[in-house]
Amino acid sequence: MADSYFPRWRRQPAAAEGSIVGTDERLAWPQMFAMGIQHVVAMFGSTVLAPLLMGFDPNLCIFMSGIGTLLFFVLVGGRVPSYLGSSFAFIGLVIAVTGYGGHGPNLNIPVALGGIIACGVVYAIIGLIVSAVGTRWIETLMPPVVTGAIVCVIGLNLAPIAVHGVSGSNFDSWMALVTVLCVSAVAVFARGMMQRLLILIGLLMAYVIYAIVTNGLGMGKPIDFAIVANAAWFGLPHFTSPVFDPKAMALLAPIAVILVAENLGHIKAVSAMTGQNLDRYVGRAFLGDGLATIVSGFAGGTGVTTYAENIGVMAVTKIYSTLVFVIAAVIALVLGFSPKFGAVIQTIPGPVLGGVSIVVFGLIAVTGARIWVVNKVDFSDNRNLIVAAVTLVLGAGDFSLKLGGFGLGGIGTATFGAIILYALLRKRSAQGPVA
């Protein structure tokens, strides 16, 4: 009998500690809902932060992340566990093409949207090509040493954002460390479902501690709950139409290469963690991500990508059920229609969100290293050693490069640098490790 388009999602009788829940399995619905909430928590820090850095509407971007995730789920037939959220790869070039000053709404968002749509079109075309001819050409350009380095670099490149966000005062820094300890304590000492909800429970613990210390004891900046009380329960997202400027489109379209590397690294990481070969879904995954970016651009949202933050959650919880991401997407859709939720987001103290980001961004970096380990990348080969070393420094140091009117930030230079450097060195055999 031929396989159905979607899995049947067999229910596991119990979520035993350390057991793996496969992509075609599920837990009891209350547990699945709780896991969906945790994936929303894992993604929303970046999905909110990225649009804020570019002057986009965070509530709309949360809404579009839900739309994009559902679109991706349908395109891959529910076979690849993934959440699609705002991509940080767009930030530098969006700021460049819009001239955004960093405060308040970005008045030139329509110009950026045209470029985001162009990127999505290029990405979708790559997906169609991969679906037709396979992934061998991409794997030749981006073997595990390259994809692992790129995934690792994303975490390292985002690290300064988290650290700088909690460095405003000595109090903020200490509260961020308290948050890290809360999440770490749940990860190590909790058992069963509590351990699997480490991000959500750790954040709530840190939130309560922060409220006691500030609102109760008068230390630091107290949480302002009035904005939640004054916000409406329901409100439509603010949609924006794109403007197709050729220069902006030319600048933003090449970001598709970075998204390909991110998505391929995501699928390779999930394949390694689940023991399932997901290569046959790569083309459909690219197409789904590309279409989701196009739809987001037409609505006024940021470009989207498969989220390494959620890979980190899966790595810790060992729950890979794709139905969890449907639940997370539906939650995001509901939240996107609620200004009150936007107000709740505003009450989460910066040090708490920053502390969670430190953990999650670190998990991204470690996931990249895991790709090297699982694929047994040989670092006695000087080619692999040099490619990884240069890529990590370019990305972590946020090395920027401009050529005429075209510019790349740290993630972009690291991505293209890794691909080009590996291609230049691949015909040379290594003689031994670099001293």
Side-chain angles (χ1 to χ4, degrees):
M1 182 182 295
D3 291 337
S4 60
Y5 185 76
F6 291 105
R8 297 184 185 278
W9 290 291
R10 305 180 306 274
R11 176 180 171 178
Q12 271 201 0
E17 183 180 341
S19 64
I20 293 177
V21 178
T23 57
D24 59 350
E25 298 175 332
R26 69 172 180 87
L27 300 172
W29 289 117
Q31 292 177 312
M32 294 288 285
F33 183 75
M35 286 304 306
I37 293 175
Q38 175 161 274
H39 276 288
V40 171
V41 171
M43 71 82 185
F44 82 71
S46 295
T47 296
V48 168
L49 181 59
L52 287 177
L53 293 175
M54 293 182 281
F56 284 67
D57 178 8
N59 253 39
L60 174 63
C61 293
I62 290 172
F63 178 80
M64 294 313 300
S65 76
I67 294 290
T69 299
L70 292 177
L71 183 59
F72 180 92
F73 175 86
V74 171
L75 262 292
V76 298
R79 306 286 176 170
V80 181
S82 182
Y83 194 94
L84 270 59
S86 303
S87 172
F88 279 77
F90 288 89
I91 293 175
L93 289 177
V94 165
I95 291 174
V97 300
T98 60
Y100 180 57
H103 300 284
N106 188 338
L107 300 180
N108 292 322
I109 281 179
V111 176
L113 296 178
I116 289 170
I117 292 169
C119 175
V121 170
V122 173
Y123 195 3
I125 291 173
I126 294 174
L128 291 173
I129 295 173
V130 170
S131 296
V133 304
T135 62
R136 184 174 296 276
W137 62 283
I138 291 181
E139 292 174 345
T140 300
L141 289 174
M142 294 184 287
V145 65
V146 172
T147 54
I150 292 172
V151 172
C152 190
V153 150
I154 294 169
L156 295 176
N157 186 268
L158 296 175
I161 296 175
V163 173
H164 292 163
V166 300
S167 301
S169 69
N170 191 47
F171 177 80
D172 289 353
S173 299
W174 280 107
M175 286 308 305
L177 291 179
V178 168
T179 304
V180 170
L181 289 175
C182 287
V183 176
S184 302
V186 175
V188 175
F189 299 112
R191 293 293 180 267
M193 203 61 193
M194 283 189 64
Q195 187 181 58
R196 296 189 173 202
L197 294 171
L198 76 162
I199 302 293
L200 178 60
I201 293 176
L203 184 145
L204 292 175
M205 289 171 56
Y207 189 102
V208 171
I209 293 172
Y210 186 96
I212 293 173
V213 172
T214 57
N215 296 63
L217 301 179
M219 300 172 60
K221 181 181 179 181
I223 300 173
D224 180 11
F225 295 104
I227 58 175
V228 178
N230 296 331
W233 279 102
F234 178 82
L236 292 174
H238 301 289
F239 298 104
T240 303
S241 299
V243 170
F244 296 98
D245 177 79
K247 183 178 179 181
M249 294 169 68
L251 283 173
L252 293 176
I255 294 176
V257 176
I258 301 175
L259 301 182
V260 164
E262 288 179 346
N263 204 337
L264 183 62
H266 171 106
I267 294 174
K268 293 294 185 182
V270 174
S271 294
M273 290 187 289
T274 61
Q276 296 178 326
N277 188 338
L278 300 175
D279 285 357
R280 62 187 180 278
Y281 303 113
V282 170
R284 286 155 61 178
F286 290 173
L287 179 60
D289 201 350
L291 292 177
T293 294
I294 294 171
V295 171
S296 180
F298 272 110
T302 60
V304 297
T305 185
T306 50
Y307 253 31
E309 286 90 333
N310 297 88
I311 300 178
V313 173
M314 287 191 287
V316 174
T317 63
K318 298 183 175 66
I319 297 176
Y320 307 102
S321 174
T322 53
L323 281 180
V324 169
F325 295 93
V326 174
I327 295 170
V330 172
I331 293 172
L333 291 179
V334 173
L335 297 179
F337 277 110
S338 176
K340 192 170 286 290
F341 171 70
V344 171
I345 289 176
Q346 294 179 49
T347 69
I348 298 176
V352 173
L353 191 57
V356 171
S357 297
I358 289 172
V359 176
V360 173
F361 294 165
L363 289 173
I364 297 173
V366 172
T367 299
R370 181 186 176 90
I371 293 175
W372 293 335
V373 173
V374 170
N375 290 278
K376 299 179 181 178
V377 175
D378 182 11
F379 283 109
S380 67
D381 184 333
N382 283 351
R383 171 187 52 189
N384 293 336
L385 201 61
I386 292 296
V387 168
V390 172
T391 303
L392 293 180
V393 172
L394 289 178
D398 200 23
F399 183 83
S400 299
L401 196 63
K402 291 185 178 180
L403 182 62
F406 181 74
L408 287 174
I411 295 178
T413 55
T415 298
F416 285 106
I419 294 171
I420 294 171
L421 192 57
Y422 185 86
L424 292 174
L425 300 177
R426 62 186 295 246
K427 292 185 180 297
R428 295 185 177 275
S429 58
Q431 301 299 319
V434 173

